[in-house]
Amino acid sequence: MGSVGLNPSAAMQVSLLLCFLTAAFANNFLNDFSITWGQDNCNIEQGGGLLSLSLDKSSGSAFQSNNQYVYAKIDMQIKLVPGNSAGTVTAYYMRSEGLTWDEIDFEFLGNLSGDPYIIHTNIFCQGQGNREMQFYPWFDPTADFHTYTILWNPLHIVFYVDGIPIREFKNLESIGIPFPTYQPMKIYSSLWNADNWATRGGLVKTNWAEAPFTASYKNFDDSNACVSYWGTSTSCNSGSTQSNPSNNDWYWQTLDDGEQGQMEWVQENYMIYNYCKDEKRFPQGYPAECYV
């Protein structure tokens, strides 16, 4: 029996339809995010594929996701403010609402030209933070885009840079240590002036002659995520196949031996602050998770 094919016209129509469907369901800053402040300093280009935030003396800028999540693996490619970025902070994080909020932070602290950025991480559980770890990047984060990933699943929170884990915070609720488990979080990012503390404790101020300062974003990916609709209902427990935990390894993803080795390499060579080793800050003893 001969094969049944499409004529060129029909094939073209199918191809166009597939392209349309791909575009319709691909992540897009125009569809997936809203500008929250500094509208004049936020620019979306390439049909929603590229977003930039800018900071000048009048204002910074920020955006947030339209979706909220309970457990997710979120990728964002970011190119940070180049040159003399001292005093500026580019924040990329997940956060819930309310007085006892949960939060998972990447913050990128600018510096003088030639000095390294600082990758600042923190975790808030039920409104309590003070879990800072800081790193120098092993690359120039202003020369090109790099992928910053937040993995939040029932087992742990992991911060990744270009697929390399730099920090893990385990779920230790079984021994009384709070962990984000039920409060939906949105994704946020902002570029703002923090020269009262960000660079050398506020000793180096923002040089406004260098403004505007600009950070760029692309290739946002939330395909591995449980989108929260209301209350405790999410796409992972409503029968959705796109993000059903039984169909996605990320939901129960752990660090294998190779990733543990990568994280140890980063922490041995590029970590510059660890709250679990700050005796002056915690003279009565470190937080409980530091001993596990």
Side-chain angles (χ1 to χ4, degrees), residues 89-188:
V89 173
T90 305
Y92 157 56
Y93 59 103
M94 300 183 71
R95 178 181 168 129
S96 66
E97 298 181 350
L99 296 176
T100 56
W101 75 95
D102 297 325
E103 186 171 337
I104 306 168
D105 288 345
F106 268 114
E107 289 186 297
F108 306 97
L109 313 186
N111 219 325
L112 294 169
S113 299
D115 290 342
Y117 259 82
I118 293 175
I119 301 174
H120 176 98
T121 66
N122 199 1
I123 295 169
F124 288 75
C125 300
Q126 300 174 16
Q128 180 62 48
N130 299 324
R131 298 180 176 92
E132 299 91 345
M133 291 185 179
Q134 294 182 336
F135 308 82
Y136 285 141
W138 52 94
F139 52 87
D140 181 356
T142 73
D144 203 351
F145 287 88
H146 291 268
T147 303
Y148 302 92
T149 302
I150 294 171
L151 170 63
W152 167 37
N153 69 22
L155 303 178
H156 55 181
I157 293 165
V158 183
F159 297 80
Y160 293 85
V161 177
D162 289 335
I164 297 175
I166 65 171
R167 176 181 183 180
E168 178 186 27
F169 182 78
K170 295 180 179 179
N171 184 345
L172 299 172
E173 277 196 315
S174 61
I175 58 174
I177 298 171
F179 185 84
T181 56
Y182 66 92
Q183 298 191 86
M185 297 196 218
K186 289 190 173 184
I187 302 164
Y188 298 85

Side-chain angles (χ1 to χ4, degrees), residues 235-256:
S235 59
C236 292
N237 58 27
S238 65
S240 168
T241 57
Q242 180 181 0
S243 53
N244 191 311
S246 64
N247 298 332
N248 287 274
D249 292 338
W250 71 269
Y251 194 87
W252 301 114
Q253 180 178 337
T254 59
L255 297 179
D256 61 26

Side-chain angles (χ1 to χ4, degrees), residues 84 86-87 110-112 194-207:
N84 180 2
N111 219 325
L112 294 169
D195 66 1
N196 60 324
W197 66 270
T199 306
R200 299 179 186 172
L203 294 177
V204 182
K205 300 302 181 182
T206 302
N207 181 0

